[in-house]
Amino acid sequence: MTLQVRNLVKHFGGVHAVQGVSFELQVGECVALIGPNGAGKSTCFACIAGQHRLTRGEVLWAGERIDRLDPAQRLARGVARTFQVAQTFEALTVLQNVQLLLQAPRGLAAWNVLDTVQLDAAQALLAQVGLQAVAQADVLGLPYGAKKRLELAMALAGVMGEIKSAGPRLLLLDEPAAGLAGPERADLMALVKSLAHAKADARAGVAVLYTEHNMDAVFGVADRVLVLIDGQIAAQGSPHEIAQNETVRTRYLGRAGHAALSDRAGGGGR
Ligand code: ADP
Ligand code: MG
């Protein structure tokens, strides 16, 4: 297993956000972390990527303890995350955003012309996320769906650009399709899945862990599902198993707004 989270505990004062979470993840897997608002999903991500210190527990990546490292050190080992709200440089073009991330570990000197650095690699990443056509557009005027795609390309660029990281990559995607609806949402989730399933050897492959707060972004996307409720893993299994799970049905899926999704799960998903 490439990512090992062991007994992760995170308290914010008296708020017990994460209460002893353990799970593992392999390169090539696309795993969904689902659960109601406030369950502790984003907090888990912040503990794995380094924005928060753990209260207790361990996080291992490729056999190494990373839970005492800062986010930049974790990035250098191939661990990157995105945030619930898209974070991009709006005054730059789409292409320049990716070039900047690719060049970041090498440092950008005053005499570098951004437009020429890492050009081929940046264009390849834009092709991977379907943004070649808007490469020269300023991010400011970009539709929201394209911004979310750009964010994925930037997360990939963040770990691909690292000189030190020749090994596996972990992408932690916090609600990658937040704010999107319908076909745009389905397309983005298909892209998320393709990032983990892209042909690569195990050493250089990508593991994807993404959060969601409902099931429509889980069926046909996730290989495996972890259900977080009140800071604890309440269930885990295949999307189909999770949809049938009694605890999940009563404590999460059964809540108002999720009834239709349980029906879909009964039909085997999409
Ligand atoms: P989710 O992403 O599943 O919606 P979060 O991880 O954001 O849940 O939040 C889990 C719990 O931790 C919530 O009760 C939230 O209010 C609390 N929490 C999250 N971040 C902080 C913080 N920086 N300070 C204090 N409490 C926090
Ligand atoms: Mg969250």
Side-chain angles (χ1 to χ4, degrees), residues 88-105:
T88 51
F89 301 102
E90 303 221 312
L92 300 180
T93 67
V94 169
L95 185 63
Q96 286 170 334
N97 266 265
V98 177
Q99 288 177 287
L100 194 61
L101 268 282
L102 283 169
Q103 184 63 18

Side-chain angles (χ1 to χ4, degrees), residues 123-188:
Q123 279 169 335
L125 279 172
L126 287 186
Q128 196 178 349
V129 301
L131 288 180
Q132 316 92 300
V134 291
Q136 301 302 336
D138 288 341
V139 172
L140 187 61
L142 222 52
Y144 191 71
K147 268 188 202 167
K148 298 298 280 181
R149 282 173 181 270
L150 175 58
E151 226 196 349
L152 292 183
M154 289 170 72
L156 278 169
V159 284
M160 296 304 172
E162 283 295 338
I163 309 164
K164 276 174 265 170
S165 178
R169 270 82 175 177
L170 173 64
L171 290 182
L172 301 158
L173 309 176
D174 203 351
E175 299 192 25
L180 301 181
E184 219 183 2
R185 182 177 171 85
D187 285 352
L188 195 94

Side-chain angles (χ1 to χ4, degrees), residues 36-38 40-43 81 84 174-175 211:
N37 274 332
K41 303 181 296 293
S42 294
T43 303
R81 74 169 288 196
Q84 237 166 289
D174 203 351
E175 299 192 25
T211 69

